[in-house]
Amino acid sequence: MPLKPWYNVVTPREDLREGKPLDAAEFAVHLDSVRTETAPAVYQDPKLFFEHTYLTRNLTGLAAEVIRRLSGETTQTSAVFNLATQFGGGKTHALTLLYHLAKYGAKSHDWMGVQTLLDGAGIKAVPDASTAVFVGLDFDSLQGRGGQDGTPLRTTPWGEIAFQLGGAEAFEIVRHHDENKQAPAGDVLRQLFVSDRPSLILMDEVMNYVNVNRHTGLGAQFYSFVHNLSEVARSERGLALVVSMPASNMEMSADDAEDYDRFDKMLDRLGKAVLVSAESETSEIVRRRLFEWDESLRSQDGRVLLTKDAVQTCKE
């Protein structure tokens, strides 16, 4: 019996079937572009994003804990999470997943895999939360954001995060700290979270911001801000902070490595370290991203169940 060609056994994504050239950028999500709604559809459309996402064991655990925290639960969850992965290990993908959940709340219940997250959290509904995104690669403290578009000028991470959480009114709480480039202490930060609505703060590429601003003094102030914010998150209900850090300080300068160690130790001490994906789960991640699968070909834990023909083709 002749062997079936692999493309008759599994169905590649539409762009692959049509011979469209693949842009490598499509495989790398950029969190700020998701926030500004300029990301490719596979990341911008939350339903499509979840269809292409394999919920690894650690990603499922992280999302379930964040859902519990945003729901006001303080047991079996942390308030602060330190995402540690190698480059390309899925940390920004994890932040994007959390962003979509918090932004859309209960509207996410029909997305693939969300019920699994709710079951793991022991929560009936995903809470609708205020969200703030800080990406160290993008934010420029010299230029700042706003000021000429009807919004207040923000020149610090705390000013930008406050504005994203509550607009101009929330920014006013930290305006003097933004103007003076001084990290707000806990008493000030707690004023940002006095409403009953939960809040999720996501930080990516933080070491890049520290590196660029080390000699201006903002790098040290940023460390104080993350430290203070972590302490506030631990004492407040419905507040979660998720920070992505590289899993290794290889190819860093001595100054970079020293700052990395300070941040990493502080976040691990105040929160929980999370490794997003394991090497053993890579094949499942690739299968979900490159091919289209019938809903019936997925197990309860989200793994693809290969057909008899597919297994035979793999063996050959």
Side-chain angles (χ1 to χ4, degrees), residues 59-134:
L59 180 56
T60 299
L62 168 67
E65 285 198 49
V66 170
I67 289 173
R68 285 183 58 79
R69 191 73 191 187
L70 295 180
S71 299
E73 298 291 338
T74 57
T75 59
Q76 296 182 329
T77 183
S78 176
V80 180
F81 299 89
N82 178 15
L83 302 193
T85 69
Q86 300 290 350
F87 177 77
K91 57 181 172 30
T92 308
H93 198 95
L95 295 176
T96 301
L97 181 141
L98 297 176
Y99 175 83
H100 284 316
L101 287 173
K103 179 180 178 181
Y104 291 94
K107 295 178 182 178
S108 68
H109 291 183
D110 292 334
W111 303 342
M112 186 176 297
V114 172
Q115 188 56 52
T116 299
L117 302 180
L118 287 171
D119 292 343
I123 299 295
K124 293 183 178 180
V126 178
D128 179 21
S130 299
T131 58
V133 167
F134 176 78

Side-chain angles (χ1 to χ4, degrees), residues 53-64 85 89-90 93-94 97 116-117 274-286 288 301-303:
T53 297
Y54 172 65
L55 293 173
T56 67
R57 178 181 298 180
N58 290 343
L59 180 56
T60 299
L62 168 67
T85 69
H93 198 95
L97 181 141
T116 299
L117 302 180
V274 178
L275 185 65
V276 178
S277 61
E279 289 185 7
S280 61
E281 297 169 309
T282 300
S283 61
E284 294 295 335
I285 295 171
V286 173
R288 182 66 65 85
D301 65 355
R303 293 179 180 271

Side-chain angles (χ1 to χ4, degrees), residues 27-28 47 76 79 81 90-91 125 140 144 148-149 154 163 187 198 213 236 238 247 268:
F27 293 90
K47 185 175 184 296
Q76 296 182 329
F81 299 89
K91 57 181 172 30
D140 189 309
Q148 298 181 346
D149 59 356
R154 293 92 67 193
F163 179 76
D187 285 348
N213 293 280
E236 296 289 322
D268 283 352

Side-chain angles (χ1 to χ4, degrees), residues 153-202:
L153 175 65
R154 293 92 67 193
T155 60
T156 64
W158 42 95
E160 175 64 10
I161 287 173
F163 179 76
Q164 288 187 34
L165 287 175
E169 182 178 352
F171 173 77
E172 191 63 24
I173 295 173
V174 299
R175 180 171 64 84
H176 292 301
H177 294 81
D178 186 88
E179 293 173 349
N180 294 318
K181 306 294 190 295
Q182 179 180 325
D187 285 348
V188 176
L189 291 173
R190 286 186 183 89
Q191 298 177 51
L192 296 173
F193 311 108
V194 294
S195 70
D196 293 333
R197 192 180 187 195
S199 298
L200 175 64
I201 300 173
L202 306 171

